[in-house]
Coordinates of all heavy atoms in Angstrom, one line a residue:
M1424 N 145.5 62.2 130.7 CA 146.7 61.8 130.1 C 147.8 62.5 130.8 O 147.8 63.6 131.2 CB 146.6 62.3 128.7 CG 145.7 61.4 127.8 SD 146.2 59.7 127.6 CE 147.2 59.8 126.1
G1425 N 149.0 61.8 130.9 CA 150.1 62.3 131.4 C 151.3 61.4 131.3 O 151.2 60.4 130.7
R1426 N 152.4 61.9 131.7 CA 153.7 61.1 131.6 C 154.1 60.7 133.0 O 154.3 61.6 133.8 CB 154.7 62.1 130.9 CG 156.0 61.5 130.6 CD 156.8 62.6 129.7 NE 157.6 63.3 130.5 CZ 158.8 63.7 130.1 NH1 159.3 63.4 128.9 NH2 159.6 64.4 130.9
I1427 N 154.4 59.4 133.1 CA 154.7 58.9 134.4 C 156.1 58.3 134.4 O 156.4 57.6 133.5 CB 153.7 57.9 134.9 CG1 152.4 58.5 135.2 CG2 154.2 57.1 136.1 CD1 151.3 57.6 135.7
L1428 N 156.9 58.7 135.3 CA 158.3 58.2 135.4 C 158.3 56.7 135.7 O 157.7 56.3 136.7 CB 159.1 58.9 136.5 CG 160.5 58.4 136.7 CD1 161.4 58.7 135.5 CD2 161.1 59.1 137.9
A1429 N 158.8 55.9 134.8 CA 158.8 54.4 134.9 C 160.1 54.0 135.7 O 160.0 53.2 136.6 CB 158.7 53.8 133.6
C1430 N 161.2 54.4 135.2 CA 162.5 54.0 135.8 C 163.7 54.7 135.1 O 163.4 55.5 134.3 CB 162.7 52.4 135.6 SG 162.8 52.0 133.9
R1431 N 164.9 54.4 135.6 CA 166.1 54.9 135.0 C 166.4 53.9 133.9 O 166.1 52.7 134.0 CB 167.2 55.0 136.0 CG 167.1 56.1 137.1 CD 168.4 56.2 137.8 NE 169.1 55.1 137.9 CZ 168.9 54.2 139.0 NH1 168.1 54.6 140.0 NH2 169.6 53.1 139.1
I1432 N 167.1 54.3 132.8 CA 167.4 53.5 131.7 C 168.3 52.3 132.1 O 168.1 51.2 131.6 CB 168.0 54.2 130.5 CG1 169.2 55.0 130.9 CG2 167.1 55.2 129.8 CD1 170.0 55.7 129.7
D1433 N 169.2 52.5 133.1 CA 170.1 51.4 133.5 C 169.5 50.4 134.3 O 170.0 49.4 134.6 CB 171.3 52.0 134.2 CG 171.0 52.8 135.5 OD1 169.8 52.8 135.8 OD2 172.0 53.3 136.1
E1434 N 168.1 50.6 134.7 CA 167.4 49.6 135.5 C 166.8 48.5 134.6 O 166.5 47.4 135.0 CB 166.2 50.2 136.2 CG 166.6 51.1 137.3 CD 165.3 51.7 138.0 OE1 164.5 50.9 138.6 OE2 165.2 52.9 138.0
V1435 N 166.7 48.8 133.2 CA 166.2 47.8 132.3 C 167.3 47.7 131.1 O 167.0 48.3 130.1 CB 164.8 48.1 131.8 CG1 164.3 46.9 131.0 CG2 163.9 48.4 133.0
P1436 N 168.3 46.8 131.3 CA 169.3 46.7 130.2 C 168.7 46.0 129.0 O 167.6 45.4 129.1 CB 170.3 45.8 130.8 CG 170.0 45.7 132.2 CD 168.6 46.0 132.5
N1437 N 169.4 46.0 127.9 CA 169.0 45.3 126.6 C 168.7 43.9 126.9 O 169.4 43.2 127.5 CB 170.2 45.5 125.6 CG 169.7 44.9 124.3 OD1 168.5 44.8 124.0 ND2 170.7 44.5 123.5
G1438 N 167.4 43.5 126.4 CA 167.0 42.2 126.5 C 166.4 41.8 127.8 O 165.9 40.7 128.1
K1439 N 166.1 42.8 128.7 CA 165.5 42.6 130.0 C 164.2 43.3 130.0 O 163.8 44.1 129.2 CB 166.4 43.2 131.1 CG 167.8 42.6 131.2 CD 167.7 41.1 131.6 CE 169.0 40.5 131.8 NZ 169.0 39.1 131.9
M1440 N 163.4 42.9 131.1 CA 162.1 43.6 131.3 C 161.8 43.9 132.7 O 162.6 43.3 133.6 CB 161.0 42.7 130.6 CG 161.0 41.2 131.2 SD 159.8 40.2 130.2 CE 160.4 38.6 130.8
K1441 N 160.8 44.7 133.0 CA 160.5 45.1 134.3 C 159.0 45.2 134.5 O 158.3 45.7 133.6 CB 161.2 46.5 134.6 CG 161.0 47.1 136.0 CD 161.8 48.3 136.1 CE 161.6 49.0 137.5 NZ 162.2 48.4 138.5
H1442 N 158.5 44.8 135.6 CA 157.0 44.9 136.0 C 156.9 46.3 136.7 O 157.6 46.6 137.6 CB 156.7 43.8 136.8 CG 155.3 44.0 137.4 ND1 155.0 44.0 138.7 CD2 154.1 44.1 136.8 CE1 153.7 44.1 138.9 NE2 153.1 44.2 137.7
L1443 N 155.9 47.0 136.2 CA 155.6 48.3 136.8 C 154.0 48.3 137.2 O 153.2 47.7 136.5 CB 155.8 49.4 135.9 CG 157.2 49.5 135.3 CD1 157.2 50.4 134.0 CD2 158.2 50.1 136.3
Q1444 N 153.7 49.1 138.2 CA 152.3 49.3 138.5 C 152.1 50.8 138.2 O 152.7 51.7 138.8 CB 152.0 49.2 140.0 CG 151.8 47.8 140.4 CD 150.3 47.4 140.3 OE1 149.5 48.3 140.2 NE2 149.9 46.2 140.2
I1445 N 151.3 51.1 137.2 CA 151.1 52.5 136.7 C 149.6 52.7 136.7 O 148.9 52.1 135.9 CB 151.7 52.7 135.4 CG1 153.2 52.6 135.6 CG2 151.4 54.0 134.8 CD1 154.0 52.9 134.3
D1446 N 149.2 53.7 137.5 CA 147.7 54.1 137.5 C 146.8 52.9 137.8 O 145.8 52.7 137.2 CB 147.3 54.6 136.1 CG 147.0 56.1 136.3 OD1 147.3 56.7 137.4 OD2 146.4 56.7 135.3
G1447 N 147.3 51.9 138.7 CA 146.6 50.8 139.0 C 146.6 49.7 137.9 O 145.9 48.6 138.1
N1448 N 147.4 49.8 136.9 CA 147.6 48.8 135.9 C 148.9 48.1 135.9 O 149.9 48.8 136.3 CB 147.4 49.4 134.5 CG 146.0 50.1 134.3 OD1 145.0 49.4 134.5 ND2 146.0 51.3 134.0
D1449 N 148.9 46.8 135.6 CA 150.2 46.1 135.6 C 150.7 46.3 134.2 O 150.1 46.0 133.2 CB 149.9 44.6 135.9 CG 149.6 44.4 137.3 OD1 150.5 44.4 138.1 OD2 148.5 44.0 137.6
V1450 N 152.0 46.8 134.2 CA 152.6 47.2 132.8 C 154.0 46.4 132.7 O 154.7 46.4 133.7 CB 152.8 48.7 132.8 CG1 153.6 49.0 131.5 CG2 151.4 49.4 132.8
L1451 N 154.3 45.9 131.6 CA 155.6 45.3 131.4 C 156.4 46.2 130.5 O 155.9 46.7 129.4 CB 155.3 44.0 130.7 CG 156.6 43.2 130.3 CD1 156.5 41.8 130.7 CD2 156.9 43.3 128.9
L1452 N 157.5 46.7 131.0 CA 158.4 47.5 130.2 C 159.6 46.6 129.8 O 160.2 45.9 130.6 CB 159.0 48.6 131.1 CG 160.0 49.5 130.5 CD1 159.3 50.4 129.4 CD2 160.6 50.4 131.6
A1453 N 160.0 46.7 128.5 CA 161.0 45.8 128.0 C 162.0 46.6 127.2 O 161.6 47.7 126.5 CB 160.5 44.7 127.1
N1454 N 163.2 46.3 127.2 CA 164.3 47.0 126.4 C 164.7 46.0 125.3 O 165.3 44.9 125.6 CB 165.5 47.3 127.3 CG 166.6 48.0 126.6 OD1 166.7 47.9 125.4 ND2 167.5 48.6 127.3
I1455 N 164.4 46.4 124.1 CA 164.7 45.6 122.9 C 165.8 46.3 122.0 O 165.4 47.4 121.4 CB 163.5 45.3 121.9 CG1 162.3 44.8 122.8 CG2 163.9 44.3 120.8 CD1 162.4 43.4 123.4
E1456 N 167.0 45.9 122.1 CA 168.1 46.5 121.3 C 168.1 48.0 121.6 O 168.3 48.9 120.7 CB 167.9 46.3 119.8 CG 167.8 44.9 119.5 CD 169.2 44.1 119.5 OE1 170.2 44.8 119.4 OE2 169.2 42.9 119.6
G1457 N 167.9 48.4 122.8 CA 168.0 49.9 123.2 C 166.8 50.7 123.0 O 166.8 51.9 123.4
T1458 N 165.7 50.0 122.5 CA 164.4 50.8 122.4 C 163.5 50.2 123.5 O 163.5 49.0 123.7 CB 163.8 50.6 121.1 OG1 164.8 51.2 120.1 CG2 162.5 51.4 121.0
Y1459 N 162.7 51.0 124.2 CA 161.9 50.6 125.3 C 160.5 50.5 124.8 O 160.0 51.4 124.0 CB 162.0 51.6 126.4 CG 163.3 51.6 127.1 CD1 164.3 52.4 126.6 CD2 163.5 50.8 128.2 CE1 165.6 52.5 127.2 CE2 164.8 50.7 128.8 CZ 165.8 51.6 128.3 OH 167.0 51.6 128.9
Y1460 N 159.8 49.4 125.2 CA 158.3 49.2 124.8 C 157.6 48.9 126.1 O 158.2 48.2 127.0 CB 158.3 48.0 123.9 CG 159.0 48.2 122.6 CD1 160.4 47.8 122.4 CD2 158.4 48.9 121.5 CE1 161.0 48.1 121.2 CE2 159.1 49.1 120.3 CZ 160.4 48.7 120.2 OH 161.0 48.9 119.0
A1461 N 156.3 49.2 126.1 CA 155.5 48.9 127.3 C 154.2 48.4 126.8 O 153.5 48.9 126.0 CB 155.3 50.1 128.2
I1462 N 153.8 47.3 127.4 CA 152.4 46.6 127.1 C 151.9 46.2 128.4 O 152.5 46.2 129.4 CB 152.7 45.4 126.2 CG1 153.5 44.4 126.8 CG2 153.1 45.8 124.8 CD1 153.6 43.0 126.1
S1463 N 150.6 45.8 128.4 CA 150.0 45.3 129.5 C 150.7 44.1 129.9 O 151.2 43.3 129.1 CB 148.5 44.9 129.2 OG 148.0 44.1 130.2
D1464 N 150.9 43.9 131.3 CA 151.6 42.7 131.8 C 150.7 41.6 132.0 O 151.1 40.4 132.3 CB 152.2 43.1 133.2 CG 153.1 42.1 133.7 OD1 154.0 41.7 133.0 OD2 152.9 41.6 134.9
I1465 N 149.4 41.8 131.7 CA 148.4 40.6 132.0 C 148.1 39.9 130.7 O 147.5 40.6 129.8 CB 147.2 41.3 132.7 CG1 147.6 42.0 133.9 CG2 146.2 40.1 133.0 CD1 148.2 41.2 135.0
C1466 N 148.4 38.7 130.6 CA 148.0 37.9 129.4 C 146.5 37.8 129.2 O 145.8 37.6 130.1 CB 148.6 36.5 129.6 SG 148.3 35.4 128.1
N1467 N 146.1 38.1 127.9 CA 144.7 38.1 127.6 C 144.1 36.7 127.5 O 142.9 36.6 127.2 CB 144.4 38.8 126.3 CG 144.4 40.4 126.5 OD1 144.2 40.8 127.7 ND2 144.6 41.2 125.5
H1468 N 144.9 35.7 127.7 CA 144.3 34.4 127.7 C 143.7 34.1 129.1 O 142.4 33.9 129.2 CB 145.4 33.3 127.4 CG 144.8 31.9 127.4 ND1 145.5 30.9 128.2 CD2 143.7 31.3 127.0 CE1 144.7 29.8 128.1 NE2 143.7 30.0 127.4
A1469 N 144.5 34.0 130.1 CA 143.9 33.6 131.5 C 144.5 34.5 132.6 O 144.4 34.1 133.8 CB 144.1 32.2 131.8
G1470 N 145.2 35.5 132.2 CA 145.6 36.5 133.2 C 147.0 36.3 133.9 O 147.2 36.9 134.9
A1471 N 147.9 35.6 133.3 CA 149.2 35.4 133.8 C 149.9 36.7 133.8 O 149.7 37.6 132.9 CB 150.0 34.3 133.1
N1472 N 150.9 36.9 134.7 CA 151.8 38.0 134.7 C 152.9 37.8 133.7 O 153.7 36.9 133.9 CB 152.4 38.3 136.0 CG 151.4 39.0 137.0 OD1 150.8 38.3 137.8 ND2 151.1 40.2 136.8
L1473 N 152.9 38.5 132.6 CA 153.9 38.2 131.5 C 155.4 38.4 131.8 O 156.2 37.8 131.3 CB 153.5 39.0 130.2 CG 152.2 38.5 129.6 CD1 151.8 39.5 128.5 CD2 152.3 37.1 129.0
H1474 N 155.6 39.3 132.8 CA 156.9 39.6 133.2 C 157.6 38.4 133.8 O 158.8 38.3 133.9 CB 157.1 40.8 134.1 CG 156.7 40.6 135.5 ND1 155.3 40.7 135.9 CD2 157.3 40.2 136.6 CE1 155.2 40.4 137.2 NE2 156.5 40.2 137.6
E1475 N 156.8 37.4 134.2 CA 157.3 36.1 134.8 C 157.7 35.2 133.7 O 158.1 34.1 133.9 CB 156.3 35.6 135.7 CG 156.2 36.4 136.9 CD 155.1 35.9 137.9 OE1 154.3 34.9 137.6 OE2 154.9 36.6 139.0
G1476 N 157.4 35.5 132.4 CA 157.6 34.6 131.3 C 159.1 34.9 130.8 O 159.9 35.5 131.4
K1477 N 159.3 34.5 129.5 CA 160.6 34.5 128.9 C 160.6 35.5 127.8 O 159.8 35.4 126.9 CB 161.0 33.1 128.4 CG 162.4 32.9 128.1 CD 162.7 31.5 127.8 CE 164.1 31.1 127.5 NZ 164.7 31.8 126.4
L1478 N 161.6 36.4 127.7 CA 161.7 37.4 126.7 C 162.7 36.9 125.6 O 163.8 36.5 126.0 CB 162.3 38.7 127.2 CG 162.2 39.9 126.2 CD1 160.8 40.2 125.6 CD2 162.9 41.2 126.9
N1479 N 162.3 36.7 124.4 CA 163.2 36.1 123.4 C 163.1 37.0 122.1 O 162.1 37.0 121.4 CB 162.6 34.7 123.0 CG 163.5 34.0 122.0 OD1 164.5 34.4 121.7 ND2 162.9 32.9 121.5
G1480 N 164.0 38.0 122.0 CA 164.0 38.9 120.9 C 162.8 39.8 121.2 O 162.6 40.3 122.3
N1481 N 161.9 40.0 120.2 CA 160.8 40.9 120.4 C 159.6 40.2 121.1 O 158.6 40.8 121.5 CB 160.1 41.2 119.0 CG 160.9 42.3 118.3 OD1 162.0 42.7 118.7 ND2 160.4 42.7 117.2
N1482 N 159.8 38.9 121.3 CA 158.6 38.0 121.8 C 158.7 37.7 123.3 O 159.8 37.4 123.8 CB 158.5 36.7 121.1 CG 158.2 36.9 119.6 OD1 157.6 38.0 119.3 ND2 158.7 36.0 118.7
I1483 N 157.6 37.8 124.0 CA 157.4 37.4 125.3 C 156.6 36.1 125.4 O 155.6 36.1 124.7 CB 156.9 38.5 126.3 CG1 156.7 38.0 127.7 CG2 155.6 39.0 125.7 CD1 157.9 38.1 128.5
I1484 N 157.1 35.1 126.0 CA 156.4 33.8 126.1 C 155.7 33.8 127.5 O 156.4 33.8 128.5 CB 157.3 32.6 125.9 CG1 158.0 32.8 124.5 CG2 156.6 31.3 125.9 CD1 159.3 32.1 124.3
C1485 N 154.4 33.6 127.4 CA 153.6 33.5 128.6 C 154.0 32.4 129.6 O 154.2 31.2 129.0 CB 152.1 33.5 128.3 SG 151.1 33.4 129.8
P1486 N 154.2 32.6 130.8 CA 154.7 31.6 131.7 C 153.6 30.4 131.9 O 154.0 29.3 132.3 CB 154.9 32.2 133.0 CG 154.1 33.4 133.0 CD 154.0 33.8 131.6
W1487 N 152.4 30.7 131.6 CA 151.3 29.6 131.9 C 151.1 28.7 130.8 O 151.3 27.5 130.9 CB 150.0 30.4 132.4 CG 150.1 30.9 133.8 CD1 151.1 31.0 134.6 CD2 149.0 31.5 134.4 NE1 150.8 31.5 135.8 CE2 149.5 31.9 135.7 CE3 147.6 31.8 134.1 CZ2 148.7 32.5 136.7 CZ3 146.8 32.4 135.1 CH2 147.4 32.8 136.3
H1488 N 150.6 29.2 129.7 CA 150.2 28.3 128.6 C 151.0 28.6 127.3 O 150.6 28.2 126.2 CB 148.8 28.4 128.3 CG 147.9 28.2 129.5 ND1 147.3 29.4 130.1 CD2 147.7 27.2 130.4 CE1 146.7 29.0 131.3 NE2 146.9 27.8 131.4
K1489 N 152.0 29.4 127.4 CA 153.0 29.7 126.3 C 152.5 30.5 125.1 O 153.0 30.3 124.0 CB 153.6 28.3 125.8 CG 154.1 27.4 127.0 CD 155.2 28.0 127.8 CE 155.7 27.1 128.9 NZ 156.2 27.9 130.1
A1490 N 151.5 31.2 125.3 CA 151.2 32.2 124.2 C 152.4 33.1 123.9 O 153.1 33.4 124.9 CB 150.0 33.1 124.6
V1491 N 152.6 33.4 122.7 CA 153.7 34.3 122.4 C 153.2 35.6 121.9 O 152.3 35.7 121.0 CB 154.6 33.6 121.2 CG1 155.7 34.5 120.9 CG2 155.0 32.2 121.6
W1492 N 153.6 36.7 122.5 CA 153.2 38.0 122.3 C 154.4 38.8 121.7 O 155.5 38.7 122.2 CB 152.7 38.7 123.5 CG 151.5 38.0 124.2 CD1 151.6 37.1 125.2 CD2 150.2 38.3 123.8 NE1 150.3 36.7 125.5 CE2 149.4 37.4 124.7 CE3 149.5 39.1 122.9 CZ2 148.0 37.3 124.7 CZ3 148.1 39.0 122.9 CH2 147.3 38.1 123.7
D1493 N 154.0 39.8 120.8 CA 155.1 40.7 120.3 C 155.2 41.9 121.3 O 154.2 42.6 121.3 CB 154.8 41.1 118.9 CG 155.9 42.0 118.3 OD1 156.6 42.7 119.0 OD2 156.1 41.8 117.1
V1494 N 156.2 42.1 121.9 CA 156.3 43.2 122.9 C 156.2 44.5 122.2 O 155.8 45.5 122.8 CB 157.7 43.1 123.7 CG1 157.9 44.3 124.6 CG2 157.6 41.9 124.6
T1495 N 156.7 44.6 120.9 CA 156.7 45.9 120.2 C 155.3 46.4 119.7 O 155.1 47.5 119.4 CB 157.7 45.9 119.1 OG1 157.2 45.0 118.1 CG2 159.1 45.4 119.5
T1496 N 154.4 45.5 119.6 CA 153.1 45.7 119.0 C 151.9 45.3 119.9 O 150.8 45.7 119.7 CB 152.9 45.1 117.7 OG1 152.9 43.6 117.9 CG2 153.9 45.5 116.7
G1497 N 152.2 44.5 120.9 CA 151.1 43.9 121.7 C 150.3 42.8 121.1 O 149.3 42.4 121.6
E1498 N 150.6 42.5 119.8 CA 149.9 41.5 119.0 C 150.3 40.1 119.4 O 151.5 39.8 119.7 CB 150.1 41.7 117.6 CG 149.3 43.0 117.2 CD 149.6 43.3 115.7 OE1 150.1 42.5 115.0 OE2 149.2 44.4 115.3
L1499 N 149.3 39.2 119.3 CA 149.6 37.8 119.5 C 150.4 37.2 118.3 O 150.1 37.4 117.2 CB 148.2 37.0 119.6 CG 148.3 35.5 119.9 CD1 148.9 35.3 121.3 CD2 146.9 34.9 119.8
V1500 N 151.4 36.5 118.6 CA 152.3 35.9 117.6 C 151.9 34.4 117.4 O 151.8 33.9 116.2 CB 153.8 36.0 117.9 CG1 154.6 35.3 116.8 CG2 154.1 37.4 118.0
Q1501 N 151.7 33.7 118.4 CA 151.5 32.2 118.3 C 150.6 31.8 119.5 O 151.0 32.0 120.6 CB 152.8 31.6 118.3 CG 152.8 30.1 117.9 CD 154.2 29.5 117.9 OE1 155.1 30.1 117.5 NE2 154.2 28.3 118.4
F1502 N 149.5 31.1 119.2 CA 148.7 30.4 120.2 C 147.6 29.7 119.5 O 147.2 30.1 118.4 CB 148.1 31.5 121.1 CG 147.6 30.8 122.4 CD1 148.4 30.3 123.3 CD2 146.2 31.0 122.8 CE1 148.0 29.7 124.5 CE2 145.8 30.5 124.0 CZ 146.7 29.7 124.9
P1503 N 147.1 28.6 119.9 CA 146.1 27.8 119.3 C 144.7 28.6 119.0 O 144.1 28.2 118.0 CB 145.8 26.6 120.1 CG 147.0 26.5 121.0 CD 147.5 27.9 121.2
V1504 N 144.5 29.5 119.8 CA 143.2 30.3 119.5 C 143.6 31.8 119.5 O 144.6 32.2 120.0 CB 142.1 30.1 120.6 CG1 141.7 28.7 120.6 CG2 142.7 30.5 122.0
R1505 N 142.7 32.5 118.8 CA 143.0 34.0 118.6 C 142.7 34.7 120.0 O 141.8 34.3 120.7 CB 142.0 34.6 117.6 CG 142.4 34.3 116.3 CD 141.5 35.1 115.3 NE 141.8 36.4 115.4 CZ 141.4 37.3 114.3 NH1 140.9 36.9 113.3 NH2 141.6 38.6 114.5
L1506 N 143.5 35.6 120.3 CA 143.3 36.4 121.6 C 143.5 37.9 121.2 O 144.1 38.2 120.2 CB 144.4 36.1 122.5 CG 144.5 34.6 123.1 CD1 145.8 34.4 123.9 CD2 143.3 34.2 123.8
R1507 N 142.6 38.7 121.9 CA 142.7 40.1 121.8 C 144.1 40.7 122.0 O 144.8 40.1 122.9 CB 141.8 40.7 122.8 CG 141.4 42.1 122.8 CD 140.2 42.3 123.8 NE 140.2 41.6 125.0 CZ 140.8 42.1 126.1 NH1 141.4 43.3 126.2 NH2 140.7 41.4 127.2
S1508 N 144.6 41.6 121.2 CA 145.9 42.2 121.5 C 146.0 42.8 122.9 O 145.0 43.3 123.4 CB 146.2 43.3 120.4 OG 146.3 42.7 119.1
L1509 N 147.2 43.0 123.3 CA 147.5 43.6 124.6 C 147.6 45.1 124.4 O 148.0 45.6 123.3 CB 148.9 43.1 125.1 CG 149.0 41.6 125.4 CD1 150.4 41.2 125.6 CD2 148.1 41.2 126.6
K1510 N 147.2 45.8 125.5 CA 147.2 47.2 125.4 C 148.7 47.6 125.3 O 149.6 47.1 126.0 CB 146.6 47.8 126.8 CG 146.7 49.4 126.8 CD 146.0 49.8 128.1 CE 146.2 51.3 128.4 NZ 145.6 52.1 127.4
V1511 N 149.0 48.7 124.5 CA 150.3 49.1 124.2 C 150.4 50.6 124.9 O 149.5 51.4 124.6 CB 150.7 49.3 122.8 CG1 152.0 49.9 122.6 CG2 150.6 47.8 122.2
Y1512 N 151.5 50.9 125.6 CA 151.7 52.2 126.1 C 152.8 52.9 125.3 O 153.8 52.2 125.0 CB 152.1 52.0 127.6 CG 151.0 51.5 128.5 CD1 150.8 50.1 128.6 CD2 150.1 52.3 129.2 CE1 149.9 49.6 129.5 CE2 149.2 51.8 130.0 CZ 149.0 50.4 130.1 OH 148.1 49.8 130.9
K1513 N 152.6 54.2 125.2 CA 153.7 55.0 124.5 C 154.8 55.2 125.6 O 154.6 55.5 126.7 CB 153.1 56.4 124.1 CG 154.0 57.1 123.2 CD 153.3 58.2 122.5 CE 154.3 59.0 121.7 NZ 154.3 60.4 122.0
V1514 N 156.0 55.0 125.1 CA 157.2 55.1 126.0 C 158.1 56.3 125.4 O 158.2 56.4 124.2 CB 158.0 53.8 126.0 CG1 159.2 54.0 126.9 CG2 157.1 52.7 126.5
S1515 N 158.7 57.1 126.3 CA 159.6 58.1 125.9 C 160.8 58.0 126.8 O 160.6 57.6 128.0 CB 159.0 59.5 125.8 OG 158.5 59.8 127.0
V1516 N 161.9 58.5 126.3 CA 163.2 58.6 127.1 C 163.6 60.0 127.1 O 163.6 60.6 126.1 CB 164.2 57.7 126.5 CG1 165.6 57.8 127.3 CG2 163.8 56.2 126.6
D1517 N 164.0 60.5 128.3 CA 164.4 61.9 128.5 C 165.6 61.8 129.4 O 165.4 61.5 130.6 CB 163.2 62.7 129.1 CG 163.5 64.2 129.0 OD1 164.7 64.5 128.7 OD2 162.7 65.0 129.4
G1518 N 166.8 62.0 128.8 CA 168.0 61.9 129.6 C 168.2 60.5 130.0 O 168.2 59.5 129.1
D1519 N 168.3 60.2 131.3 CA 168.4 58.8 131.8 C 167.1 58.2 132.3 O 167.2 57.2 133.0 CB 169.6 58.7 132.7 CG 169.4 59.3 134.1 OD1 168.3 60.1 134.2 OD2 170.1 59.1 135.0
A1520 N 166.1 58.8 132.0 CA 164.8 58.4 132.6 C 163.8 57.9 131.5 O 163.8 58.4 130.4 CB 164.0 59.6 133.3
V1521 N 163.1 56.9 131.8 CA 162.1 56.3 130.9 C 160.7 56.7 131.5 O 160.4 56.5 132.7 CB 162.2 54.7 130.8 CG1 161.2 54.2 129.9 CG2 163.6 54.3 130.5
Y1522 N 159.9 57.2 130.6 CA 158.5 57.6 130.9 C 157.5 56.8 130.1 O 157.7 56.4 129.0 CB 158.3 59.1 130.6 CG 159.2 60.0 131.4 CD1 160.4 60.4 131.0 CD2 158.7 60.6 132.6 CE1 161.2 61.2 131.7 CE2 159.6 61.4 133.4 CZ 160.8 61.7 132.9 OH 161.5 62.6 133.6
I1523 N 156.3 56.6 130.8 CA 155.2 55.9 130.1 C 154.0 56.9 130.1 O 153.8 57.5 131.1 CB 154.8 54.6 130.8 CG1 156.0 53.7 130.6 CG2 153.5 54.0 130.4 CD1 155.8 52.3 131.3
E1524 N 153.4 57.0 128.9 CA 152.3 57.9 128.7 C 151.0 57.1 129.2 O 150.8 55.9 128.7 CB 152.1 58.3 127.3 CG 153.3 58.8 126.6 CD 153.8 60.2 127.1 OE1 152.9 60.9 127.5 OE2 154.9 60.6 126.9
V1525 N 150.2 57.8 130.0 CA 148.9 57.1 130.4 C 147.8 58.1 130.1 O 148.0 59.2 129.9 CB 148.9 56.7 131.9 CG1 149.9 55.6 132.0 CG2 149.2 57.9 132.8
Ligands
FES2112 S1 147.6 32.8 130.6 FE1 149.0 33.3 129.1 S2 148.8 31.6 127.7 FE2 147.4 31.2 129.2

């Protein structure tokens, strides 16, 4: 377990997201109203990269088959079949730096 520097806060403005490679994992970092959230970037349906989708409030819409995920919880919001929740990473901000716990 450790804290990994993800980016500076100004690299991910409100309503934006960023793809990161952390410890060999694809991670999506999103800024929702000034709070940062990090979840797995890989859709649990068929493996799309979620950062290529559309962020709409708390929700990220998968670019392939339009599953809707809650970025703040990693939970599935909308899709015809149930999918396992996405891994959620703990995020912290220290000064102008954003860290992800792994
Ligand atoms: S890969 Fe995301 S909905 Fe199919």
Side-chain angles (χ1 to χ4, degrees):
M1424 289 292 269
R1426 185 168 95 142
I1427 292 183
L1428 177 63
C1430 63
R1431 293 190 324 269
I1432 53 175
D1433 59 2
E1434 289 179 65
V1435 188
N1437 183 22
K1439 300 293 183 191
M1440 53 188 168
K1441 181 179 177 72
H1442 172 240
L1443 305 162
Q1444 275 275 341
I1445 293 185
D1446 247 11
N1448 298 306
D1449 290 288
V1450 176
L1451 178 134
L1452 177 72
N1454 178 341
I1455 312 287
E1456 304 286 338
T1458 302
Y1459 294 86
Y1460 298 92
I1462 58 173
S1463 169
D1464 187 52
I1465 305 299
C1466 182
N1467 277 341
H1468 177 232
N1472 284 102
L1473 292 172
H1474 74 277
E1475 294 173 358
K1477 190 171 184 304
L1478 187 61
N1479 183 11
N1481 283 9
N1482 294 334
I1483 175 85
I1484 302 161
C1485 179
W1487 286 4
H1488 314 104
K1489 311 301 178 205
V1491 181
W1492 300 94
D1493 187 328
V1494 173
T1495 68
T1496 64
E1498 291 176 8
L1499 184 66
V1500 175
Q1501 191 180 323
F1502 198 60
V1504 296
R1505 281 185 72 156
L1506 299 172
R1507 187 167 44 90
S1508 294
L1509 299 167
K1510 179 176 171 65
V1511 175
Y1512 295 85
K1513 189 166 178 234
V1514 180
S1515 59
V1516 175
D1517 190 355
D1519 67 350
V1521 181
Y1522 293 90
I1523 292 181
E1524 313 283 338
V1525 292

